[in-house]
Amino acid sequence: MDIKTIEEGKSTAITSYILVVGVLIAMSMNSEKRNAFASYHIRQALGLSILFVAIGYTLSGFSADAPEILLPFWLCMTVLWGYGLYTAISGQMRPMPIIGTLCQKVFKTIGA
């Protein structure tokens, strides 16, 4: 991928990692003029957001008195979000550990 494409899609890619609503904003930003770099990161962020909501909903049944359950969840999500944001800022297209390749396969029609 050329540098021009990366620079044009960088702001959209970064926006996609702003919590759950950032994915929707980034999809809107990328809808007219599709950018492959932005689409890649939108798919990554969408998968991460869905995972966050699904696991968060499941863990919401546990009380806040159970940090041994909630702390690893928050730590893992923070590390994955930080990794995704770092790769978007640095202009890289590396999949997130564990879920990145699956996100690209499942959401392949987004931004295509």
Side-chain angles (χ1 to χ4, degrees):
M1 182 168 304
D2 62 345
I3 295 173
K4 182 181 177 194
T5 304
I6 291 172
E7 289 302 317
E8 287 175 354
K10 197 177 270 192
S11 62
T12 305
I14 293 169
T15 303
S16 69
Y17 289 104
I18 301 173
L19 301 177
V20 178
V21 75
V23 174
L24 300 174
I25 294 169
M27 288 174 79
S28 174
M29 291 169 65
N30 198 40
S31 64
E32 286 184 30
K33 186 178 178 186
R34 303 230 187 251
N35 182 290
F37 180 75
S39 296
Y40 177 85
H41 283 283
I42 289 170
R43 289 189 293 269
Q44 294 285 297
L46 178 62
L48 187 59
S49 295
I50 290 172
L51 182 69
F52 174 76
V53 170
I55 294 175
Y57 180 75
T58 304
L59 293 180
S60 68
F62 294 99
S63 69
D65 298 332
E68 62 274 357
I69 295 172
L70 300 176
L71 185 63
F73 165 70
W74 282 106
L75 184 63
C76 181
M77 286 294 135
T78 302
V79 167
L80 288 176
W81 248 303
Y83 181 82
L85 189 59
Y86 170 76
T87 57
I89 290 170
S90 62
Q92 300 173 8
M93 291 178 62
R94 291 190 306 200
M96 285 185 208
I98 303 167
I99 65 165
T101 308
L102 180 64
C103 292
Q104 293 302 316
K105 287 179 185 176
V106 171
F107 304 120
K108 64 185 170 196
T109 58
I110 294 177

